[in-house]
Amino acid sequence: MSLNVSRAVREAAGRTVSRNGVVFIVVFAVLGALSAVVTDSAFLLLDSLATEVEGAEPVDVPAPLGVALPGSVLLLLGLVWLLANAAASVVAMRVLVGEHTDTIPDDLFSRRLTRATMSDIAAEIVAAVLIGIGLLLLVVPGIFLAICFYFSRPLIAVEDRGFVDALAESWRLSRGNRLRVFALLVVVVLVGLAVSVPTTLVSALFGGAPAVGSVLGIVLGAVTTVFGLAVVARAFAQLRGDEPETEHADEGEHDEWDDPAGVEW
């Protein structure tokens, strides 16, 4: 099935401003705040450690949301954020792929959430490493891999696939629609850049209160996150015929990586 880019973007925008979309914006804003606190606190910790080393230069990085916390606590909070963010992304994907805009059925929380969360983390790490290597080498291979792995998250969240199976099936599912998927990636990036403009302006206006810009950035970042998830979800729903299956055949059945001979865009 051919992917309709404009339809996916329109539907994603509608889902982002729906009741469920707003709920997820709040969830990801809270997670974004936790991430910012952990990051800024880590900079404060590094700065304090640097002052104890003779001849070491201070880190000197703005950390408006930083709190003086020991390293062990920061590691624990970082782990909590990683797990919570992945779990929230899985649930959001399940909701956004379906037709739920005002309520969230209980089974979307309860169905194999732990397994899906761990698979999502593994898939994101593997994809990020491979894409990063591709970008460092010639840029184009990294972009190609980002396109091919674009649907791994909905495959994990909706079809309960393992991370290897999800990456392989995403590769197959993107075949024939890769230029359109690239267009979706461009749209999401442009929206992210547009959203960053107000944050930059507020940071400049409230230079004496950097926390104001940080908080606005967290909120707008949450909006961008939900929109990005919604774009993937609605594109996936199209390619799965708008009614994606919740169960799939034995893992490995669709493990097809047979592209190199004649790459199909």
Side-chain angles (χ1 to χ4, degrees), residues 171-247:
W171 188 291
R172 187 198 66 79
L173 189 60
S174 67
R175 191 178 301 139
N177 284 293
R178 287 171 181 154
L179 290 178
R180 296 180 180 87
V181 171
F182 176 71
L184 289 178
L185 286 171
V186 171
V187 169
V188 173
V189 170
L190 291 177
V191 169
L193 291 174
V195 166
S196 68
V197 173
T199 304
T200 303
L201 292 175
V202 169
S203 297
L205 291 173
F206 295 90
V212 176
S214 295
V215 171
L216 179 61
I218 289 168
V219 174
L220 295 181
V223 175
T224 305
T225 297
V226 174
F227 176 72
L229 289 172
V231 170
V232 182
R234 300 319 302 165
F236 179 76
Q238 280 190 45
L239 296 181
R240 281 304 200 224
D242 290 332
E243 293 184 359
E245 51 190 78
T246 56
E247 298 292 339

Side-chain angles (χ1 to χ4, degrees), residues 82-94:
L82 179 66
L83 294 173
N85 189 72
S89 298
V90 167
V91 175
M93 188 60 63
R94 290 173 175 175

